Amino acid sequence: MNQALEGNRILDLTRLGPGPFASMMLADMGAEVIKIEEPQPRGGLASDILTPAQGTKEELERAQAYNCLSRNKKSIALNLKQPEAREIFYKLAGTADVVFEGYRPGVSSRLGVGYDTISGINSRIVYCSISGYGQDGPYRDLPGHDPNYTSIAGLMSLIRDQKGNPIPISIPIADMSVALHAVIGILCGLMARVNTGRGQYVDISFADSALDFTCFPLSMFLGSGLQQDIAPPTILNVFETKDGKFITSGAIETYFWERFCHAIGREDIIPYQFAEGEKLDEVVKIIKEAILTKTRDEWFEIMREANTCVTPVLELDEVINDPQLLHRNMIMEVEHPSVGKAKQLGMSIKLSDTPPQFRNFAPALGEHTSEILKEIGY
């Protein structure tokens, strides 16, 4: 075995971002992921957010070269509303280890590809559903997107500006967390099957997954009844530098704080690490003034030498050239047959014996239809 999930077949019915990100991670680990795609775009969107619904041949090829979400996958185009397509899906399900879907609750059953049907065909199937609020409960049928899930989970109420207004979170935390939870759930299902011989149903909710990110403040609230906002009106902050860029400090431990104060030449504020009120404002003002005396990169070198928790705030064009991330192959370069060298997000899980691999670029819609149909007897 060259890869951790080699030999596992996954039928992927998910769309947009979260589901494809999860199945990307599984495909990177060696699973054979077959995207079950709709022949025509629905709602003006293609199968994932990095695949254009329409475009010229050159535009589509370029999108495939840079599309990490669909790399290492195969594609078959099926309209599951048609009996013939469902029959194909049933035959594939009989050969599969995992079915992964992201419809609203009840839709997969109405299409005839729900867990009850598929587990009747293949009792070893691990069937994972991701949905906004889960397969049951009063919000079961409520539509939503990332801001809705982070709101329900309390994340948005924890991040506020200086006036106390909730700040919308600019990255899709619920989307990314549901993807990671789905991967964990699928792997748990596969591991349990080794012991029981049976598959099972995996129910993953965006809102539940987002709630996990409140573990620390929620636990504190449950113990004390007090809500502590995540926004940092404290010494742990983002500071502007002389060149108009920014650094961020995470000097929580006393020894890191002391080193930070020595590095900026203000040992006099060491006793005030946990200052409050006017004294806190005074200390933050002192730090801001000190940080404005040097450039971002100068401070980074000074703070590295001081061995304290300070890093530059990188823009995306800097992220893709950061020496640490490049060393970890988190920005990888691959050679596309027509586009040439293309860069993609790397693979964050490092395994010594069965590492993730790049095997192929994102497929065109239905690219593997003939190959897969022949395999199951058509």
Side-chain angles (χ1 to χ4, degrees):
M1 176 182 286
N2 295 319
Q3 291 193 268
L5 296 181
E6 190 174 315
N8 286 280
R9 169 173 279 185
I10 299 173
L11 306 184
D12 184 6
L13 290 161
T14 65
R15 302 175 73 244
L16 299 180
F21 183 79
S23 57
M24 174 202 78
M25 297 185 72
L26 298 168
D28 289 347
M29 293 297 170
E32 180 192 22
V33 175
I34 301 175
K35 298 201 300 175
I36 311 298
E37 304 195 74
E38 297 162 352
Q40 299 295 328
R42 175 165 54 89
L45 297 169
S47 62
D48 65 62
I49 57 172
L50 298 181
T51 298
Q54 296 177 329
T56 65
K57 179 177 181 292
E58 291 74 19
E59 289 170 339
L60 293 173
E61 284 184 346
R62 183 169 179 82
Q64 287 174 257
Y66 287 90
N67 184 354
C68 63
L69 291 178
S70 289
R71 69 186 178 209
N72 292 334
K73 300 179 185 179
K74 296 178 179 179
S75 169
I76 180 171
L78 294 176
N79 180 357
L80 293 176
K81 294 180 180 179
Q82 300 298 323
E84 297 87 352
R86 286 197 297 275
E87 191 61 35
I88 291 170
F89 187 84
Y90 296 153
K91 290 188 177 183
L92 284 173
T95 70
D97 298 278
V98 177
V99 169
F100 184 29
E101 64 93 3
Y103 297 117
R104 290 174 68 175
V107 171
S108 62
S109 295
R110 290 199 295 273
L111 286 172
V113 295
Y115 175 66
D116 290 343
T117 299
I118 302 305
S119 62
I121 296 169
N122 181 355
S123 63
R124 290 175 55 81
I125 204 79
V126 174
Y127 193 110
C128 180
S129 296
I130 56 174
S131 61
Y133 302 97
Q135 299 298 309
D136 47 27
Y139 297 164
R140 173 184 184 270
D141 298 318
L142 192 65
H145 279 296
D146 200 272
N148 309 117
Y149 310 135
T150 55
S151 299
I152 288 293
L155 273 175
M156 200 173 292
S157 74
L158 291 169
I159 304 176
R160 298 176 182 269
D161 61 21
Q162 299 300 323
K163 295 180 179 179
N165 300 314
I167 301 173
I169 303 166
S170 58
I171 57 172
I173 288 183
D175 286 0
M176 301 308 286
S177 63
V178 85
L180 298 177
H181 281 74
V183 170
I184 294 168
I186 289 169
L187 295 179
C188 287
L190 291 173
M191 180 62 71
R193 192 180 68 179
V194 173
N195 298 321
T196 67
R198 302 187 307 276
Q200 61 183 296
Y201 187 66
V202 183
D203 175 7
I204 307 290
S205 153
F206 283 77
D208 295 350
S209 301
L211 186 63
D212 273 356
F213 280 78
T214 72
C215 176
F216 301 155
L218 180 62
S219 297
M220 288 184 229
F221 172 77
L222 293 173
S224 68
L226 299 175
Q227 176 167 316
Q228 298 185 19
D229 296 344
I230 294 174
T234 65
I235 292 164
L236 302 178
N237 216 320
V238 176
F239 300 104
E240 186 174 0
T241 55
K242 183 179 180 180
D243 53 352
K245 297 180 180 180
F246 299 89
I247 60 170
T248 184
S249 169
I252 297 174
E253 294 86 350
T254 301
Y255 46 87
F256 286 137
W257 166 247
E258 291 174 353
R259 293 171 193 172
F260 175 82
C261 294
H262 283 295
I264 65 173
R266 293 304 302 258
E267 293 84 352
D268 57 308
I269 64 173
I270 288 176
Y272 305 110
Q273 181 181 8
F274 302 106
E276 297 178 353
E278 291 183 2
K279 191 62 180 179
L280 170 62
D281 295 337
E282 179 187 337
V283 172
V284 170
K285 184 173 182 291
I286 289 170
I287 296 172
K288 286 182 176 179
E289 290 174 351
I291 298 301
L292 279 170
T293 63
K294 299 183 188 301
T295 67
R296 182 194 68 180
D297 294 344
E298 287 173 334
W299 277 123
F300 185 39
E301 289 307 313
I302 291 170
M303 295 300 177
R304 284 182 70 180
E305 186 67 25
N307 192 23
T308 190
C309 308
V310 173
T311 48
V313 177
L314 298 182
E315 304 291 339
L316 289 181
D317 62 338
E318 297 174 304
V319 168
I320 62 174
N321 293 301
D322 181 78
Q324 175 66 26
L325 298 176
L326 290 175
H327 177 82
R328 297 281 293 173
N329 202 29
M330 286 309 299
I331 307 296
M332 64 181 190
E333 190 171 73
V334 285
E335 186 75 31
H336 189 272
S338 61
V339 173
K341 294 186 185 299
K343 291 183 177 181
Q344 290 192 9
L345 176 68
M347 302 165 188
S348 56
I349 297 176
K350 317 294 186 186
L351 298 176
S352 62
D353 291 341
T354 55
Q357 297 175 13
F358 180 90
R359 301 190 304 280
N360 54 268
F361 288 93
L365 174 64
E367 180 177 331
H368 301 92
T369 300
S370 295
E371 170 193 328
I372 294 168
L373 289 179
K374 286 179 182 177
E375 180 189 323
I376 57 175
Y378 284 83

